[in-house]
Amino acid sequence: VGNWDQLIQIGKEAISQDIDYKNLRKRMGYAYFVKGEYYAAEHAYEKALNFDQSDTDARIYLYYCGLNTGDNTFASYHANKLSLEEQSKLGIKQFKILDAIDLEYNYKSNNSVSSSRSNPNYYRAGIRTQLSNRLSLYQSASQYNQTLNTTLAIKQKEYYGALNGILNARVTVDLAYHYLYTDLQSTTYSNQMTGNLYFAKLSTKLNRFNFAINASTMALDTANSKQLGLSAGYTLEGPNNVHLNSSLVRVIQTANNRFVFSQSIGLQLFKPLWVEGSISFGNLKNYTDNNGLYVYNSSDATTFRTGLTTLYTLSPKITLVGNYTFDKKELNNSSTITNYNQHSLSGGLIWKF
């Protein structure tokens, strides 16, 4: 077993004395990698590339650093810099018509006044296609069901499509489209409504820091709105990979401009299990989340939200997902402001091929 800490210390002392060269950085990178300090390994191997952009070993370890830190964008960028022969050895395929599928079911329970709101159901299925090492397409179909005032049945069907492009090792762009078709039916009333959402995001990650700016515009038959958002996150040092992320979104809507602030904290409890808690403050009426995948256009606005998400890696290809969310909601058809609580449970899986 190598004395990795001693190797790293000697390397730091050499660099402090202006002794710096490719193989020194590579040896330090390997020492960090063996110790499981992947962000430090990433930094060392990037320094090695500054001496020689064609170094295949450094590229391979940067690819594995990306995988081990959950940064698939970073991994894919460096995979794309390898020769086709090296990619084949690592089992990397540039094109996969079926790269992954994900399934989600959500059940909500509420205590709305006089049982005026039924307990909603939400179903969703998604598929990811890898078009190249630097471009992927994600598509999703979903349906939401609820009954209002015991008579009006709502059935909303949705389609979502998103392109993710890797501009370089640190910068990605996301472009998405979300279509909504809402069918309203009662014994005396029938109506169909549609909506269109367009979303764009520019993201960058600098080792442990990540930043993003996003914008969207949504046109519903009942309202039009726009969103501008900023987010920033940081992964702390340590074995649990504690990650903090904050976002501030400006929702622009006629006579109802407002801010929504969200904070999340996630950590790896042990190797297969990731847990993340989140909290949101602000009126979420016609609010969009998760790159425009989720649109909160129900008749009753959520004014406060908190939740807990778990991801359990059952196998290298299958991840199980669970979520609990609490919403404080505002009844839409009340002459006075009436709040009620809603509890939500979700279950699903991600299957990577």
Side-chain angles (χ1 to χ4, degrees):
V1 178
N3 193 336
W4 306 119
D5 291 327
Q6 184 181 27
L7 191 158
I8 291 168
Q9 185 58 37
I10 293 172
K12 287 181 177 179
E13 291 174 0
I15 293 168
S16 69
Q17 297 173 27
D18 295 326
I19 302 171
D20 195 2
Y21 52 95
K22 183 180 77 168
N23 284 338
L24 174 65
R25 293 289 188 169
K26 287 177 65 176
R27 291 187 186 111
M28 291 178 68
Y30 184 74
Y32 282 123
F33 190 90
V34 172
K35 285 166 56 65
E37 297 179 21
Y38 300 113
Y39 286 106
E42 176 184 306
H43 177 74
Y45 280 116
E46 285 184 315
K47 289 293 186 180
L49 280 185
N50 289 340
F51 291 98
D52 181 5
Q53 288 289 317
S54 64
D55 192 293
T56 298
D57 289 338
R59 292 281 183 196
I60 290 173
Y61 275 103
L62 285 169
Y63 165 74
Y64 282 118
C65 285
L67 293 183
N68 281 287
T69 57
D71 191 350
N72 292 326
T73 293
F74 186 83
S76 295
Y77 174 82
H78 286 288
N80 192 61
K81 293 292 184 177
L82 297 171
S83 68
L84 293 179
E85 181 182 358
E86 290 294 339
Q87 291 184 44
S88 178
K89 288 179 182 178
L90 295 173
I92 299 169
K93 296 181 179 179
Q94 296 225 8
F95 175 78
K96 286 194 267 186
I97 192 168
L98 184 60
D99 182 47
I101 62 170
D102 62 289
L103 303 172
E104 178 185 1
Y105 172 70
N106 176 272
Y107 176 78
K108 304 179 190 297
S109 174
N110 62 68
N111 65 344
S112 64
V113 179
S114 303
S115 300
S116 60
R117 302 293 189 258
S118 72
N119 295 329
N121 291 274
Y122 176 78
Y123 313 82
R124 192 182 62 78
I127 179 173
R128 183 180 185 273
T129 300
Q130 183 174 304
L131 302 174
S132 73
N133 281 333
R134 298 176 67 173
L135 185 65
S136 64
L137 170 67
Y138 178 77
Q139 299 179 86
S140 172
S142 59
Q143 181 170 309
Y144 174 89
N145 302 316
Q146 188 179 28
T147 300
L148 305 185
N149 302 322
T150 71
T151 59
L152 181 61
I154 299 175
K155 182 181 290 185
Q156 181 166 285
K157 297 181 179 180
E158 305 175 31
Y159 167 78
Y160 173 83
L163 282 170
N164 172 264
I166 300 172
L167 301 184
N168 58 42
R170 299 299 186 189
V171 181
T172 62
V173 61
D174 293 275
L175 302 173
Y177 169 71
H178 195 139
Y179 174 76
L180 303 93
Y181 175 82
T182 308
D183 187 23
L184 307 174
Q185 297 290 338
S186 73
T187 54
T188 59
Y189 178 80
S190 176
N191 191 27
Q192 289 76 42
M193 298 186 298
T194 60
N196 296 277
L197 166 71
Y198 301 91
F199 174 90
K201 183 173 80 171
L202 190 66
S203 309
T204 183
K205 187 175 181 186
L206 305 172
N207 205 259
R208 295 180 181 273
F209 291 91
N210 62 274
F211 307 92
I213 181 171
N214 65 77
S216 65
T217 179
M218 181 169 63
L220 303 174
D221 287 344
T222 54
N224 294 333
S225 64
K226 293 180 173 62
Q227 278 188 202
L228 296 173
L230 293 170
S231 67
Y234 180 73
T235 300
L236 279 63
E237 294 186 31
N240 297 111
N241 296 313
V242 177
H243 183 77
L244 304 169
N245 195 80
S246 304
S247 72
L248 183 64
V249 173
R250 179 66 167 172
V251 181
I252 303 168
Q253 197 170 347
T254 305
N256 193 19
N257 296 341
R258 58 199 186 275
F259 285 102
V260 174
F261 174 77
S262 299
Q263 178 66 51
S264 67
I265 178 170
L267 71 155
Q268 191 174 30
L269 287 181
F270 48 92
K271 192 168 184 180
L273 182 64
W274 176 267
V275 177
E276 181 176 278
S278 62
I279 190 167
S280 296
F281 300 94
N283 188 313
L284 303 185
K285 179 72 172 179
N286 294 330
Y287 178 75
T288 66
D289 197 11
N290 197 12
N291 290 1
L293 177 62
Y294 299 114
V295 177
Y296 303 114
N297 66 318
S298 63
S299 59
D300 301 337
T302 291
T303 56
F304 171 80
R305 165 172 292 167
T306 187
L308 183 71
T309 300
T310 61
L311 293 94
Y312 183 83
T313 304
L314 190 65
S315 73
K317 293 185 178 294
I318 299 177
T319 300
L320 302 180
V321 183
N323 172 268
Y324 165 77
T325 301
F326 169 81
D327 288 295
K328 182 178 179 181
K329 299 186 74 71
E330 201 171 86
L331 198 67
N332 182 47
N333 60 357
S334 175
S335 57
T336 59
I337 296 177
T338 304
N339 295 316
Y340 67 93
N341 298 329
Q342 181 170 271
H343 304 273
S344 172
L345 289 173
S346 295
L349 64 84
I350 303 169
W351 188 351
K352 187 170 177 60
F353 293 88

